């Protein structure tokens, strides 16, 4: 049994955690470069918490330039056990309206300009992301979201696009009609894949801000509309985060879904053929198995 340490990765509109005790911004160095920003550490409800602003304070990183590997490494290096990603998204479903939350359980990764793995030449590993989010952690997020009063959908497929431009109408229709995606965003990939490689439980809370461009009654995405909805969503998101310590508890048993053992049989490269320099960079992410 270990101590729970909850990490919250805040997306657009979420830049801190309310009520955090002993709060301090901590600079973390990683072998993958600097994270998006310093990390806010403290305790909430008797449970250790870490907050990371995905885009940096002031929103300085685009979805493509977010240092995803450094972010996940920093969370692992600080001893985090559970990662809750909060993100602004567009909706591809009439029933998932702006202001609603979706507890994502699947992804379609359409990003192409980002480093997507900690592993590579000199240490090859293949983890399963068939089920890319942790059902236990997602269930806690579902309950916490529901308790805030916000309309919350249990399950949904998140289409991760490269951005930073929004979708064309043709793309939006394809993602919705042909591919079966439910929400669209720009930041949960490769974040979810890297969290799995780092053996971290990961849950995704999508905060819907708009109907993307497919909806015949709403037209193209308007940034002013998104910001207005973001501000409303942020209140519910903060309440969700505040409820997590009580739901997850301070003591943590091994994940019943195996998220914290994802590397158990994943590394393919034999010990004698492994690159020492890469192994050194993997000290936090894969130290348990290496």
């Amino acid at each position: 049994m270990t101590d729970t340490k909850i990490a919250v990765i805040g997306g657009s509109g979420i830049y801190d955690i309310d009520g955090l005790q002993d709060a301090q911004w901590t600079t973390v160095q990683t072998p993958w470069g600097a994270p998006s920003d310093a990390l806010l550490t403290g305790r909430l409800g008797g449970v250790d918490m870490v907050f990371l602003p995905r885009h940096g304070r002031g929103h300085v990183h685009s979805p493509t330039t977010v240092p995803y590997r450094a972010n996940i490494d920093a969370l692992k290096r600080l001893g985090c056990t559970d990662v809750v990603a909060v993100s602004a998204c567009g909706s591809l479903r009439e029933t998932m309206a702006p202001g609603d939350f979706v507890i994502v359980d699947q992804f379609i990764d359409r990003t192409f300009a980002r480093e997507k793995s900690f592993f590579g030449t000199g240490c090859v590993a293949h983890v399963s992301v068939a089920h890319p989010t942790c059902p236990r952690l997602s269930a806690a997020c579902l309950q916490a979201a529901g308790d805030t009063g916000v309309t919350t959908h249990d399950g949904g497929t998140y289409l991760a696009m490269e951005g930073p431009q929004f979708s064309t109408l043709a793309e939006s229709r394809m993602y919705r009609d042909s591919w079966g995606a439910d929400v669209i965003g720009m930041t949960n990939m490769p974040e979810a894949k890297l969290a799995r490689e780092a053996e971290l439980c990961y849950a995704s809370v999508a905060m819907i801000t708009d109907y993307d461009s497919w909806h015949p009654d709403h037209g193209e995405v308007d940034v002013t509309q998104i910001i207005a909805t973001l501000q409303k969503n942020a209140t519910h998101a903060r309440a969700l985060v505040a409820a997590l310590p009580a739901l997850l508890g301070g003591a943590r048993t091994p994940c019943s879904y195996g998220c914290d053992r994802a590397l158990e049989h994943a590394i393919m490269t034999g010990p004698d053929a492994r690159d020492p320099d890469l192994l050194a960079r993997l000290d936090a992410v894969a130290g348990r198995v290496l």
Side-chain angles (χ1 to χ4, degrees):
M1 188 171 292
T2 59
D3 291 336
T4 299
K5 193 166 191 175
I6 305 169
V8 177
I9 301 178
S12 302
I14 309 297
Y15 298 108
D16 57 19
I17 296 177
D18 291 342
L20 200 63
Q21 298 174 321
D22 301 321
Q24 62 177 353
W25 288 96
T26 302
T27 300
V28 180
Q29 303 294 329
T30 88
W32 313 96
S36 295
D37 204 329
L39 288 80
L40 183 63
T41 63
R43 291 179 67 79
L44 191 66
V47 175
D48 287 335
M49 301 280 290
V50 177
F51 175 77
L52 172 63
R54 184 188 286 114
H55 297 281
R57 286 168 289 180
H59 206 108
V60 296
H61 289 289
S62 78
T64 296
T65 65
V66 169
Y68 295 97
R69 292 191 296 183
N71 286 351
I72 295 297
D73 180 281
L75 296 178
K76 182 75 172 185
R77 205 167 286 278
L78 288 179
C80 295
T81 56
D82 300 271
V83 178
V84 176
V86 183
S87 311
C89 291
S91 172
L92 298 171
R93 300 291 155 201
E94 186 86 43
T95 55
M96 295 178 175
D100 291 3
F101 282 13
V102 180
I103 309 303
V104 173
D105 62 352
Q106 282 295 328
F107 295 100
I108 299 172
D109 187 359
R110 292 286 290 167
T111 65
F112 55 82
R114 311 172 189 187
E115 293 290 346
K116 300 190 179 188
S117 178
F118 291 108
F119 297 91
T121 304
C123 190
V124 176
H126 302 281
V127 298
S128 172
V129 287
H131 301 284
T133 62
C134 175
R136 175 192 59 85
L137 187 56
S138 295
C141 292
L142 178 66
Q143 182 174 340
D147 289 346
T148 72
V150 68
T151 300
T152 306
H153 304 269
D154 184 10
T157 297
Y158 177 124
L159 188 291
M161 63 183 294
E162 186 63 49
Q165 302 86 359
F166 295 117
S167 303
T168 68
L169 177 58
E171 290 169 336
S172 190
R173 287 173 172 169
M174 179 181 70
Y175 298 150
R176 162 185 155 84
D177 298 332
S178 299
W179 292 13
D182 299 302
V183 295
I184 183 166
M186 302 179 188
T187 57
N188 275 196
M189 282 292 169
E191 192 173 85
K193 291 177 177 176
L194 295 167
R196 180 58 52 83
E197 287 189 343
E199 299 189 323
L200 292 169
C201 292
Y202 182 91
S204 171
V205 180
M207 306 183 300
I208 295 177
T209 58
D210 59 87
Y211 273 120
D212 204 49
S213 58
W214 67 271
H215 201 295
D217 299 327
H218 290 268
E220 67 270 12
V221 179
D222 181 87
V223 172
T224 56
Q225 168 201 339
I226 288 176
I227 292 173
T229 308
L230 270 177
Q231 292 171 343
K232 296 177 183 178
N233 285 347
T235 300
H236 292 297
R238 291 190 180 96
L240 181 158
V241 169
L244 289 175
L247 291 171
L248 294 175
R252 188 179 186 282
T253 57
C255 175
S256 55
Y257 296 93
C259 302
D260 52 5
R261 302 179 299 283
L263 292 175
E264 201 76 18
H265 304 291
I267 296 177
M268 304 295 291
T269 307
D272 293 342
R274 294 173 185 171
D275 177 5
D277 291 336
L278 180 53
L279 296 187
R281 300 176 79 191
L282 291 166
D283 64 331
V285 168
R288 186 186 71 83
V289 294
L290 291 174

